[in-house]
Amino acid sequence: MREKLERVCKAFCIEGELLDYEELKAGNVNRTYRVDILRPDGGRKSYIAQAVNTYVFKNPVQVMENIDRVTEHIRSKKPGGVALHFYHTRDRRTYWFDEDGFWRLFNFIPSETHTVCDDLALVENAGGAFGEFQMLLSDFDAADLYETIPQFHNTRRRYEKLAADAAADPCGRAEGAQAELDWLLSVEDAACALTDLYEAGQLPLRVTHNDTKINNVLFAPGERRAIAVIDLDTVMPGLVGHDFGDAIRSAANFVEEDSPETERAGVNLAVFRAFSEGFLKKTAAALTEREIDLLAGSCFSLAAELAARFLDDYLLGDPYFKTDYPEHNLVRARCQIALAKDMRLHMAEMEEIVHACAAKYRRA
Ligand code: GN1
Ligand code: MG
């Protein structure tokens, strides 16, 4: 790997010697490395080198163009903010590829990230960061963006694909996943509510982040202050519920997303409230009543949708998500299912919390 990272650094015109590197395990699709460079002047500097997963992102050049435009737009509205800065190759591109990878290189921002988190002030700030991100893009023209993964949060499509792949069962794994499959199919209509209402013309299309895991917010080291929203690979037209729901299913679960302890999985309502506060403080005034009404339900939809995606990948032999062991995607699917089940039990409370926050910030 060292040699490959040396070539990547060279391609992006980084001068100096590669001292050290470390693979960062946070993401589930791209491969990410911190590289530490000894510069010719004797100083040390770290960068992030990332190999984009081209099975997931079929057109990575378009991904980079989207990121450029979105970053530029945000910078124009929030000058001086902390942001990822992509380095250029000699021929002024923000990417470089060879026979085994599509690479990009950006600045390392000293920061902390969190996965599951019960520090409520921190969670509220994460909600604020994603809410602000949404608002900064409210005047961004969606026509200026490529759809990097078509139908990314079309829950109906995800379900159709799951059902078809389970029927084809190319790896002989369907039998061992029958209970999960049956349960997911039994809640299909509830899970697809957001998609169906959008298709019925009842929800506005916005420009959304679409991958709002809480570990995509960087916090100032040792503080609870959010300094940047990262991972802009899937910024695309979407619904506000996609961002709210995906953030909750990642941040408000009592356990990590791939925990085998399904009996402990569930929605932490205190975390749910804190995130809602932060998010709605920034967005409530701009959202329609219908969008607000659907926020709590969108958490269920996003948990079920991701369960369907993990299960589908398991059935196909794990081509999409990185896995550490053969059952990893099945374990992930089970955990999202347990979370989705618990959300259903607490849906009335979740609705009440969202409406209370929205009312507060719509008046303010
Ligand atoms: C992937 O790569 P990462 O970890 O940011 C996935 C998300 C899933 C998430 C689940 C492009 O995100 O949609 O919610 O894993 N990203 C893509 O952990 O599919
Ligand atoms: Mg991502």
Side-chain angles (χ1 to χ4, degrees), residues 27-29 57 152 211 213 231 249 257 306 309 320-321:
N28 276 340
V29 300
F57 296 103
F152 189 56
D211 188 5
K213 291 208 287 204
D231 190 358
R249 71 115 208 114
E257 163 180 289
L306 187 59
R309 293 175 61 197
Y320 190 104
F321 294 106

